[in-house]
């Protein structure tokens, strides 16, 4: 599929390869099957709340995580090192040539303290994967749940503008951090015996290798849409009218010839996100969203996976489409705790 843009012939952008790991599986296909079957790995863990109540979370079993080689990182943070272990498993699933320098777009948690250490993150990815990095075109983001769409948008643009043939998009996060858990508890965001409106955290890593026209994959990727919502979770002064989420929905649906049949999202159970979704989805008309469209929200299986949400969702959806478990088009979206909102549509080449 090709089209004319800016006076030149452009090729479509496909998802060539995917990799993902979470508490419900060590590959995107296993995760997709588990989520569709309603399997959940959320359970009480050894981490205790301030009242002594165990936190309920979805964690990858320790025995599944690889040991980091000496020299991979200088970071001593348990959470950060665990994120690198998760990322190792996801990177192993990506078909890398390990010869040509590759642009890498990485989204990390918005509450991770690594200011000014973007180069270090990219160097660690190089050590984990053995893949040469295109340092000039690579980026590190800390934009939370929807940040993966910002990474995806920049990756898509590089390929679409003819600068690059392929880009690796990464998202990784882990809730295995007592300080972070305690902060969420103080904000009354974690589902505990005394909190009814909250979420259950998880951990995951997701990788997407985008290419300009890949015969290996039939999964087409529309132009990713990113917007800002000023009335976000931590801004209680403004009323959320869903303008940011509505904008990305409408933009993501533009290339579609048929209505969206499935919506895969990063909803984590918190009422604020559910209300925003409800307001925004009602603004889509029948040409954009099928009346019988289903909602896929795997956080009920693997918890809120934060910064890994977008790549993991897209990797799972790509596998569902490729295995004919669902029909496209599929709209994927996430909303961060702060301003960022993002969405993108996926479909099979013969089903747009």
């Amino acid at each position: 599929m090709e089209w004319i843009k800016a006076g030149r012939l452009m090729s479509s952008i496909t998802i060539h390869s995917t990799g993902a790991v979470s508490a419900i599986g060590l590959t995107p296909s296993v995760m997709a099957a588990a989520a569709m079957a309603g399997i959940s790995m959320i359970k009480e863990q050894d981490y205790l709340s301030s009242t002594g109540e165990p936190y309920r979370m979805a964690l990858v079993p320790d025995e599944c995580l690889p040991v980091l080689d000496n020299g991979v990182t200088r970071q001593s943070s348990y959470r950060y090192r665990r994120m690198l272990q998760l990322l190792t498993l996801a990177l192993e699933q990506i078909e890398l040539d390990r010869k040509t320098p590759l642009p890498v777009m990485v989204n990390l948690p918005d509450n991770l303290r690594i200011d000014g250490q973007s180069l270090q993150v990219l160097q660690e990815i190089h050590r984990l994967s053995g893949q040469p990095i295109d340092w000039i075109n690579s980026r590190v983001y800390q934009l939370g749940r929807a940040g993966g769409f910002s990474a995806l948008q920049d990756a898509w643009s590089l390929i679409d503008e003819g600068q690059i043939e392929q880009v690796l998009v990464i998202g990784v996060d882990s809730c295995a951090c007592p300080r972070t858990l305690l902060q969420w508890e103080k904000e009354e965001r974690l589902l505990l015996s005394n909190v009814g409106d909250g979420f259950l955290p998880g951990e995951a890593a997701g990788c997407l290798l985008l290419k300009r026209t890949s015969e290996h994959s039939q999964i087409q990727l529309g132009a990713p849409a990113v917007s800002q919502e000023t009335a976000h979770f931590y801004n209680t002064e403004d009323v959320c009218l869903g303008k940011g989420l509505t904008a990305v929905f409408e933009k993501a649906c533009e290339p579609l010839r048929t209505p969206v049949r499935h919506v895969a999202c990063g909803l984590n159970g918190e009422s604020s996100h559910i209300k925003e979704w409800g307001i925004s989805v009602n603004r889509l008309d029948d040409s954009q969203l099928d009346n019988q469209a289903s909602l896929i929200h795997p956080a009920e299986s693997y918890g809120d996976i934060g910064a890994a949400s977008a790549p993991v969702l897209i990797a799972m959806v790509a596998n569902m489409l490729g295995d004919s478990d669902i029909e496209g088009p599929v709209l994927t979206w996430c909303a961060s705790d702060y301003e960022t909102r993002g969405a993108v549509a996926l479909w099979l080449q013969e089903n747009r």
Side-chain angles (χ1 to χ4, degrees):
M1 183 184 301
E2 297 180 323
W3 64 93
I4 300 294
K5 181 176 180 180
R8 66 181 188 276
L9 190 65
M10 294 300 295
S11 301
S12 57
I13 296 173
T14 61
I15 299 176
H16 176 77
S17 181
T18 64
V21 57
S22 75
I24 61 172
L26 302 182
T27 65
S29 58
V30 172
M31 290 170 57
M36 288 189 293
I39 295 172
S40 175
M41 292 302 292
I42 298 172
K43 57 185 179 181
E44 292 185 348
Q45 303 290 345
D46 293 336
Y47 294 83
L48 301 180
S49 71
S50 60
T51 62
E53 180 180 348
Y55 291 121
R56 286 182 293 157
M57 303 185 290
L59 298 178
V60 175
D62 290 343
E63 56 268 26
C64 295
L65 298 176
V67 177
L68 292 179
D69 292 336
N70 292 332
V72 168
T73 181
R74 297 177 181 176
Q75 292 289 331
S76 60
S77 161
Y78 177 76
R79 179 191 188 188
Y80 189 82
R81 295 181 69 88
R82 190 174 180 92
M83 286 166 53
L84 292 181
Q85 291 175 296
L86 293 167
L87 185 53
T88 300
L89 295 176
L91 284 168
E92 289 173 350
Q93 302 165 42
I94 297 293
E95 300 174 8
L96 301 170
D97 66 12
R98 295 180 173 81
K99 296 177 182 179
T100 307
L102 183 68
V104 179
M105 309 297 184
V106 192
N107 185 47
L108 301 175
D110 52 20
N111 58 6
L112 188 67
R113 300 176 181 178
I114 60 158
D115 292 343
Q117 299 183 42
S118 295
L119 179 60
Q120 168 199 296
V121 173
L122 295 171
Q123 288 173 334
E124 289 163 350
I125 292 171
H126 167 66
R127 294 170 191 143
L128 290 174
S129 64
Q131 172 64 46
I133 305 295
D134 177 346
W135 306 104
I136 294 176
N137 289 304
S138 296
R139 301 285 185 274
V140 176
Y141 310 76
Q142 285 190 262
L143 297 173
R145 205 176 294 109
F149 288 104
S150 292
L152 194 67
Q153 184 181 61
D154 288 344
W156 197 95
S157 296
L158 279 177
I159 299 175
D160 185 51
E161 292 167 2
Q163 300 182 41
I164 301 293
E165 290 297 316
Q166 58 181 349
V167 182
L168 180 62
V169 176
I170 293 172
V172 60
D173 204 338
S174 176
C175 62
C177 175
R179 178 185 299 167
T180 300
L181 291 167
L182 182 59
Q183 181 60 39
W184 285 331
E185 182 187 349
K186 288 179 178 179
E187 295 170 352
E188 297 185 343
R189 296 190 62 190
L190 293 182
L191 278 178
L192 295 167
S193 57
N194 62 331
V195 177
D197 182 3
F199 71 94
L200 298 169
E203 61 180 5
C207 300
L208 306 169
L209 182 61
L210 307 187
K211 277 193 174 184
R212 184 197 316 281
T213 308
S214 168
E215 295 179 358
H216 178 81
S217 174
Q218 292 185 325
I219 309 301
Q220 301 280 165
L221 187 71
V226 176
S227 185
Q228 306 295 309
E229 175 59 65
T230 56
H232 53 77
F233 187 90
Y234 289 109
N235 178 10
T236 58
E237 296 181 359
D238 297 329
V239 177
C240 180
L241 301 177
K243 293 181 179 179
L245 199 55
T246 300
V248 297
F249 285 173
E250 293 180 342
K251 185 67 176 178
C253 290
E254 282 183 3
L256 303 180
R257 299 184 183 129
T258 58
V260 168
R261 291 186 174 92
H262 301 275
V263 178
C265 67
L267 285 174
N268 66 358
E270 290 183 292
S271 62
S272 60
H273 294 303
I274 295 172
K275 291 175 182 176
E276 184 178 2
W277 152 249
I279 294 170
S280 303
V281 73
N282 281 324
R283 295 187 178 127
L284 298 181
D285 59 36
D286 293 344
S287 68
Q288 297 168 310
L289 182 68
D290 191 288
N291 287 329
Q292 302 300 317
S294 69
L295 182 65
I296 303 168
H297 47 98
E300 62 184 1
S301 295
Y302 53 46
D304 185 342
I305 56 174
S309 294
V312 168
L313 275 174
I314 294 168
M316 290 173 61
V317 167
N319 277 267
M320 291 177 185
L321 286 169
D323 293 340
S324 300
D325 293 324
I326 59 175
E327 291 186 3
V330 181
L331 177 67
T332 64
W333 68 271
C334 292
S336 294
D337 290 340
Y338 290 94
E339 295 91 346
T340 310
R341 303 291 182 264
V344 73
L346 292 82
W347 62 87
L348 292 174
Q349 285 186 2
E350 67 273 13
N351 184 4
R352 185 175 174 183

